[in-house]
Amino acid sequence: MSQIKGPAIFLAQFAGDEAPYNNLSDICNWVAGMGYKAVQIPTWDKRLFNLELAAESKDYCDEVQGIVAQHGLEISELSTHLQGQLVAVHPAYDTMFEGFAPEELKGKPADRTEWAISQLKAAAKASQNLGLTAHASFSGALLWQTVYPWPQRPAGLVEQGFAELAKRWLPILNAFDDAGVDVCYELHPGEDLHDGVTFERFLEATGNHARANLLYDPSHFVLQQLDYLSFIDIYHERIKAFHVKDAEFNMNGRSGIYGGYQSWVDRPGRFRSLGDGQIDFSGIFSKLTQYGFSGWAVLEWECCLKHPEQGAKEGAEFIKKHLIRRAEKAFDDFASVGADEALNNKILGL
């Protein structure tokens, strides 16, 4: 019976210039010591991973696998969240996103877009070389600055925006299809793909591309006040990756989902360490298990209060506690009388 694997951990929020966070071997040793079984690797961080080399060299990928395996770990997915963001950037955000790309691309938005697309294609090949089947990313955004419908959007604006987004992503999705890997979009405010409706718009624009799938992260749905359990019922066939991240929404009389430009600690909607927020993870793990999700449960630590080391340590145990071993038989099988057509006819009065 298939079941969710875990616990795994996304390394992006923990990488740093000090040991043990500044190289792949040491950080793997650190997370293995807390009980993690897999790592999700950010591909933009050269301290941990060389994406370009991984796309070109199977030997390098074997070396990376060896480092990870040496600590009793696997690789759950690679991540291109920062590069995916740059596939589509509205000019209003050019300056704020320049730090996501190489220095030589500053002030060159068209070149930056092409670089981002090449990075995603490299990630497809690198994932294939590593034997992975899912990849985590963002969609980028051309329409986000129009998210609230005032001033009124001109007719056709949304459709044109998604048509352009699909045009940029289709060659990437095809590259991932050639590699046998699913692109799993994390639905996230700031991206044109931020909820179920926008994901459906994108699917339609890409001709329901088989490789356009979802990274399920309920924390972003809490902040949008979206029903994260019903979301699984609707989109479970496209959920191919899973971030386990907690959040809370504290309704008050001063600010709401837009947050009033406040810092994270003061916003009504804020991310928390696992178990400190409001999310019903028992319900989530139950639904994902019910629908046969067999990917990794990956901790993404983001908390406005708790230290990351404490969050990571507690997160491993939290995920372990929520993993469900699928039952191999029905609980009432002891009372079964087996198949008997004559008996069934008698019960039916036939």
Side-chain angles (χ1 to χ4, degrees):
M1 300 286 284
S2 63
Q3 66 183 70
I4 302 171
K5 299 188 287 284
I9 186 169
F10 187 23
L11 299 178
Q13 284 84 3
F14 301 98
D17 291 328
E18 304 294 327
Y21 314 111
N22 59 352
N23 67 79
L24 185 61
S25 182
D26 285 353
I27 201 169
C28 282
N29 184 59
W30 176 65
V31 302
M34 292 182 285
Y36 288 99
K37 302 299 182 185
V39 290
Q40 187 178 84
I41 299 177
T43 62
W44 59 85
D45 196 323
K46 289 291 197 292
R47 293 168 298 192
L48 305 181
F49 190 78
N50 187 319
L51 176 59
E52 294 81 4
L53 186 56
E56 297 169 1
S57 171
K58 183 68 166 61
D59 288 342
Y60 172 72
C61 288
D62 291 343
E63 180 185 335
V64 170
Q65 292 275 35
I67 292 170
V68 173
Q70 181 183 355
H71 300 285
L73 301 170
E74 299 178 43
I75 300 172
S76 63
E77 300 91 9
L78 299 179
S79 156
T80 53
H81 282 82
L82 300 195
Q83 301 100 311
Q85 180 77 66
L86 299 184
V87 169
V89 177
H90 187 275
Y93 297 97
D94 273 341
T95 301
M96 296 176 74
F97 281 137
E98 277 190 334
F100 288 11
E103 183 74 21
E104 62 268 21
L105 295 179
K106 280 191 174 181
K108 300 176 181 177
D111 292 344
R112 183 188 61 209
T113 299
E114 290 307 310
W115 173 82
I117 291 171
S118 71
Q119 286 277 291
L120 266 294
K121 290 180 178 178
K125 188 61 179 174
S127 296
Q128 182 182 38
N129 286 341
L130 289 165
L132 304 176
T133 58
H135 179 77
S137 198
F138 280 151
S139 68
L142 300 172
L143 287 162
W144 179 253
Q145 74 285 353
T146 71
V147 66
Y148 194 82
W150 180 259
Q152 190 181 66
R153 302 184 196 100
L157 178 72
V158 173
E159 290 76 11
Q160 284 180 235
F162 276 94
E164 176 61 28
L165 190 67
K167 179 182 175 183
R168 298 186 189 192
W169 273 100
L170 274 169
I172 300 169
L173 289 168
N174 290 337
F176 274 91
D177 195 32
D178 292 340
V181 181
D182 292 315
V183 179
C184 302
Y185 295 101
E186 182 173 354
L187 304 185
H188 188 289
E191 313 301 320
D192 279 343
L193 274 60
H194 56 269
D195 61 10
V197 171
T198 52
F199 178 65
E200 290 174 17
R201 289 182 184 273
F202 183 72
L203 277 183
E204 182 179 4
T206 60
N208 290 305
H209 201 291
R211 295 298 176 180
N213 289 288
L214 293 167
L215 187 164
Y216 176 76
D217 184 334
S219 67
H220 302 300
F221 299 154
V222 169
L223 270 57
Q224 296 181 66
Q225 294 293 279
L226 185 153
D227 187 335
Y228 54 83
L229 291 176
S230 292
F231 183 94
I232 298 173
D233 292 326
I234 300 167
Y235 299 107
H236 60 89
E237 292 180 355
R238 293 276 182 172
I239 295 173
K240 301 297 178 68
F242 175 26
H243 271 176
V244 190
K245 189 170 75 174
D246 213 342
E248 62 188 359
F249 191 87
N250 301 306
M251 189 174 292
N252 67 78
R254 298 183 65 242
S255 64
I257 60 171
Y258 303 112
Y261 302 109
Q262 297 174 102
S263 64
W264 277 110
V265 73
D266 296 319
R267 295 172 68 90
R270 57 189 193 172
F271 301 127
R272 299 298 310 276
S273 285
L274 287 183
D276 294 342
Q278 299 168 345
I279 292 178
D280 176 10
F281 282 104
S282 292
I284 288 171
F285 276 81
S286 293
K287 280 189 178 290
L288 288 175
T289 300
Q290 174 187 336
Y291 289 118
F293 177 75
S294 58
W296 286 93
V298 182
L299 168 75
E300 184 181 24
W301 175 87
E302 291 180 354
C303 185
C304 59
L305 294 176
K306 186 169 283 183
H307 192 281
E309 290 184 5
Q310 183 182 358
K313 183 177 181 180
E314 293 174 355
E317 289 302 315
F318 186 92
I319 292 173
K320 278 184 198 174
K321 217 168 50 171
H322 283 82
L323 293 174
I324 298 171
R325 181 182 175 189
R326 286 295 299 262
E328 297 175 354
K329 61 181 181 179
F331 64 85
D332 55 357
D333 275 359
F334 72 91
S336 173
V337 294
D340 185 328
E341 185 176 353
L343 176 62
N344 291 342
N345 284 334
K346 183 177 181 181
I347 293 170
L348 292 168
L350 301 177

